[in-house]
Amino acid sequence: MRLSKLFSRTYREAPRDEESVNAQLLVRAGFVDKTMAGSYSFLPLGVRVLRKIENIIREEMNAVDGQEVLMSMLHPKSLWKQTGGWDNIDVLFKVPSRTGKEYALGQSEEEVVTPLVMKRVLNYKDLPQAVYQIHWKFRDELRAKSGVMRGREFLMKDMYSFHADQDDFDRYYEIVKKAYFKIFNRMGLVAKSTEASGGSFTDKVSYEFMVLTDAGEDDILYCENCDYCVNVEIATLSKGDGCPKCKGVLDQAVASEAGNVFDLGQKYVKDFGFTYDDAEGNKQLPIMGCYGIGVTRLMGVAVERSHDDRGIVWHPSIAPFEAHLVGLGGGDATPLYAKLTELGVEVLFDDRDKGAGEMLADADLIGIPTRLVVSPRNEGKIEVTDRATGESQLLDEEALVAHLTK
Ligand code: ATP
Ligand code: MG
């Protein structure tokens, strides 16, 4: 992609109406544009990051036999009445129609997925089932000041699984928890999982996946020694206490909930009368689980976790491009751009007629992992700079190609 053609621009100053670092940098670098508090448009650079995050999630959900669907976002009131959500869920957006009817905008999709899966599952041979989507959610959030980390509309991966019995659910629950850690690791994030009560859903156990960042809205206690972690909100312990699992000591930190998994028990299957025939022909209620990940929130968390005073520092797995190419001092980078693009390297080529200072500042702001400078000063070699460490090396073209395609 040529930067001169890219549908976005950069800003030197942080927008005055953004408090969070993620929104300040994402707006400045041209990844997102704010429509109103809690609602953003994603520009080409931002879309590329979202797609990379989505694809990591998609691969790991497919690997645990999840099947991708896209469910409706506009729901009839009747479905939400049936589960009690219409009157109990404060963040539910309710939309009146000119016909006098009312609708809900999906804030989560149990109300749609349960009747949907029910139509496909007749007997025990049809179980287990796991379907997921990566789709927009709408929530009437009171506080939307954390940039893309808390939107009134946001992209979520939500998976729902249905099982013949608790044992099969428990087996699958463990598999998905492992997949979640893999997803965060692949993005360069370290998540801790807290055990919590299921909240409004059931009395069953749920797990929240927390990434440490001061921009988060959760306080957690975690063991310095083992993987014990708990949300302060529900904990009877406090900082400095001994870990209940090992000999370690508990520390406290602020974190953002990047995902969670819930054992929903039989709440929704009961609401919709979802039964299946067991091997003896008796009617049984399945066990249901749900598994969320905040895709747009993760984009914000990634920026909060990885930036410096010059801009964003993307982890290579979710960066919008692999390399940011600049020609300086009359150096012509066009042939290298053509060559790398042909080899399948994702290159953002700054072909604008701008000063070196501005082009390099924009490269730092946008935060692509590898910066390439072509300049007569480099005597035929290319200056390759790592955005994260700032380390530079001069490589000839062959070595550069090997470096980028390794
Ligand atoms: P929170 O406690 O942060 O409000 P939640 O418990 O309401 O989260 P879920 O309903 O389980 O979250 O949604 C699944 C995931 O979607 C969350 O783990 C989070 O990553 C993301 N998420 C939830 N609300 C928002 C929001 N308003 N904006 C962006 N992402 C969100
Ligand atoms: Mg919430």
Side-chain angles (χ1 to χ4, degrees), residues 107-108 139 141 148-157 201 208-209 217-218 256-260 262 291-298:
Q107 63 90 32
S108 186
R139 290 188 187 178
E141 301 278 5
V148 299
M149 290 171 63
R150 183 170 296 285
R152 296 202 165 90
E153 57 177 29
F154 58 97
L155 195 56
M156 191 205 282
K157 185 283 300 177
F201 292 116
E208 296 168 338
F209 293 79
E217 297 177 23
D218 291 86
S256 176
E257 184 192 309
N260 57 32
F262 282 97
Y291 316 82
I293 291 187
V295 179
T296 40
R297 178 175 291 183
L298 272 173

Side-chain angles (χ1 to χ4, degrees), residues 308-333:
D308 58 22
D309 53 3
R310 288 170 291 138
I312 304 170
V313 183
W314 291 108
H315 187 268
S317 67
I318 58 169
F321 290 90
E322 295 169 75
H324 190 124
L325 175 62
V326 188
L328 297 181
D332 182 9

Side-chain angles (χ1 to χ4, degrees), residues 162-197:
F162 297 82
H163 305 266
D165 53 39
Q166 191 68 38
D167 279 352
D168 193 58
F169 172 80
D170 292 343
R171 171 194 66 80
Y172 193 65
Y173 211 31
E174 287 308 312
I175 290 173
V176 179
K177 276 161 63 185
K178 286 205 185 89
Y180 268 41
F181 283 117
K182 223 167 148 188
I183 289 167
F184 302 125
N185 286 342
R186 283 182 62 181
M187 291 182 56
L189 296 171
V190 179
K192 296 181 180 295
S193 86
T194 66
E195 204 172 300
S197 81

Side-chain angles (χ1 to χ4, degrees), residues 17-77:
D17 59 344
E18 294 287 7
E19 292 176 18
S20 64
V21 169
N22 73 83
Q24 288 182 359
L25 285 172
L26 289 168
V27 169
R28 276 187 59 204
F31 287 75
V32 304
D33 182 83
K34 187 182 192 174
T35 311
M36 61 177 177
S39 168
Y40 291 86
S41 294
F42 290 80
L43 308 182
L45 288 175
V47 170
R48 291 181 77 100
V49 173
L50 286 183
R51 293 289 173 265
K52 297 226 170 150
I53 299 173
E54 283 175 29
N55 281 335
I56 291 173
I57 296 173
R58 185 172 281 122
E59 281 174 18
E60 298 304 335
M61 292 298 100
N62 291 346
V64 298
D65 294 334
Q67 294 192 46
E68 189 168 6
V69 295
L70 282 175
M71 292 183 278
S72 54
M73 296 191 276
L74 186 65
H75 306 164
K77 175 180 179 177

